[in-house]
């Protein structure tokens, strides 16, 4: 005569177990580890210096993702004037706070403009890549080129630094972030009056340089 009661208890326990399993599965599906989040660590080229808000290449990237990769979030941690040393010092806190699945490093241009030691720039790029990869994030380096007045040898060394870091750490690389802008036969049409920062018309070109490589890294 106790069988119905036992059956009801068994049913209740089974139902609770199934509900609990479903709840745990739901939490797992929406856990931070399953979210794709892109951290952009850059300087004025990515911080919309001199541009209307929402018109820079990082903002255009978020719009592109909304269309092609819904749910992917972009955090723009770029600061005008930043160097690889500044980025290296800021990165640990950013990785801890945002837990990105991808890190885009767009730094080095100010190192070149200030004539900072090549070994220091390469060392900082290497350390930032290692730090990012240690958290499980995929890394994309955006290569820069040194102004021609420093001479061809320095220019080749600077360009090679990005390639060497990318190769040693198996990171993705865009060889020249400003391709089609800085090397255009008439580059002034793509720059603001200061002749240093790309204008609004150049931003889609910058995104076009980044997107094909970044898209391959996204699930």
């Amino acid at each position: 005569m106790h069988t119905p009661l036992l059956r009801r208890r068994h049913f209740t326990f089974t139902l609770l177990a199934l509900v609990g399993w479903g709840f745990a599965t739901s939490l797992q599906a929406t856990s931070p580890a399953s979210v794709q989040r892109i951290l952009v660590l850059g300087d004025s080229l990515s911080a919309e210096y001199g541009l209307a808000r929402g018109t820079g290449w990082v903002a255009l990237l978020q719009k592109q993702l909304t269309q092609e990769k819904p749910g992917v979030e972009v955090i723009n941690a770029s600061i005008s004037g930043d160097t690889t040393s500044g980025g290296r010092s800021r990165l640990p806190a950013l990785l801890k706070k945002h837990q990105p699945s991808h890190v885009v490093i767009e730094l080095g241009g100010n190192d070149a403009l200030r004539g900072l030691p090549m070994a220091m720039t390469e060392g900082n790029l290497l350390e930032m890549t290692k730090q990012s990869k240690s958290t499980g994030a995929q890394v994309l380096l955006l290569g820069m080129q040194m102004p021609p007045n420093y001479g061809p040898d320095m220019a080749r060394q600077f360009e090679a630094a990005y390639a060497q870091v990318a190769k040693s750490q198996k990171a993705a690389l865009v060889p020249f972030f400003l391709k089609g802008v800085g090397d255009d036969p008439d580059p002034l049409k793509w720059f603001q009056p200061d002749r240093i920062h790309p204008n609004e018309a150049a931003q889609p070109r910058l995104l076009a340089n980044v997107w094909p490589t970044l898209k391959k890294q996204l699930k």
Side-chain angles (χ1 to χ4, degrees):
M1 63 181 175
H2 297 293
T3 301
L5 178 59
L6 290 174
R7 286 177 178 174
R8 284 197 297 272
R9 287 178 177 175
H10 176 72
F11 174 77
T12 302
F13 292 148
T14 302
L15 179 61
L16 288 172
L18 288 173
V19 170
W21 178 85
F23 179 69
T25 302
S26 175
L27 284 177
Q28 183 178 11
T30 58
S31 65
S34 66
V35 175
Q36 294 196 88
R37 187 176 294 114
I38 302 170
L39 174 68
V40 179
L41 185 66
D43 51 34
S44 56
L45 299 181
S46 300
E48 293 187 329
Y49 178 89
L51 302 174
R53 297 286 78 86
T55 62
W57 79 268
V58 180
L60 298 181
L61 170 62
Q62 182 65 80
K63 294 177 182 178
Q64 183 93 26
L65 289 165
T66 300
Q67 296 176 357
E68 298 194 32
K69 300 283 184 179
V72 180
E73 180 186 3
V74 179
I75 297 100
N76 192 353
S78 303
I79 297 178
S80 295
D82 207 4
T83 62
T84 57
S85 295
R88 178 176 177 174
S89 67
R90 295 193 294 120
L91 183 58
L94 291 169
L95 292 173
K96 183 177 180 180
K97 178 180 179 180
H98 299 292
Q99 301 180 22
S101 56
H102 299 75
V103 177
V104 178
I105 301 174
E106 180 276 299
L107 288 169
N110 287 315
D111 293 46
L113 290 173
R114 298 178 187 183
L116 298 179
M118 188 78 65
M120 183 183 72
T121 298
E122 183 172 347
N124 288 334
L125 290 171
L126 179 62
E127 184 59 29
M128 286 187 286
T129 302
K130 286 182 175 180
Q131 287 181 14
S132 300
K133 293 196 65 172
S134 70
T135 67
Q138 296 187 58
V139 178
L140 172 57
L141 292 168
L142 303 187
M144 293 297 296
Q145 293 184 2
M146 187 168 277
N149 56 299
Y150 284 90
D153 289 339
M154 289 292 290
R156 281 192 293 268
Q157 292 178 39
F158 189 79
E159 185 176 358
Y162 293 89
Q164 290 168 3
V165 171
K167 183 178 180 180
S168 68
Q169 297 303 307
K170 297 182 180 179
L173 172 68
V174 172
F176 185 33
F177 177 46
L178 296 181
K179 182 180 179 181
V181 176
D183 56 359
D184 188 279
D186 182 19
L188 293 183
K189 67 183 179 183
W190 302 112
F191 284 86
Q192 298 177 40
D194 62 11
R195 301 187 179 186
I196 296 176
H197 298 94
N199 58 27
E200 186 174 329
Q203 301 306 307
R205 287 195 169 205
L206 300 183
L207 176 59
N209 291 336
V210 177
W211 177 242
T213 305
L214 180 59
K215 184 177 181 180
K216 291 178 182 178
Q217 291 186 308
L218 298 169
K219 297 177 181 178

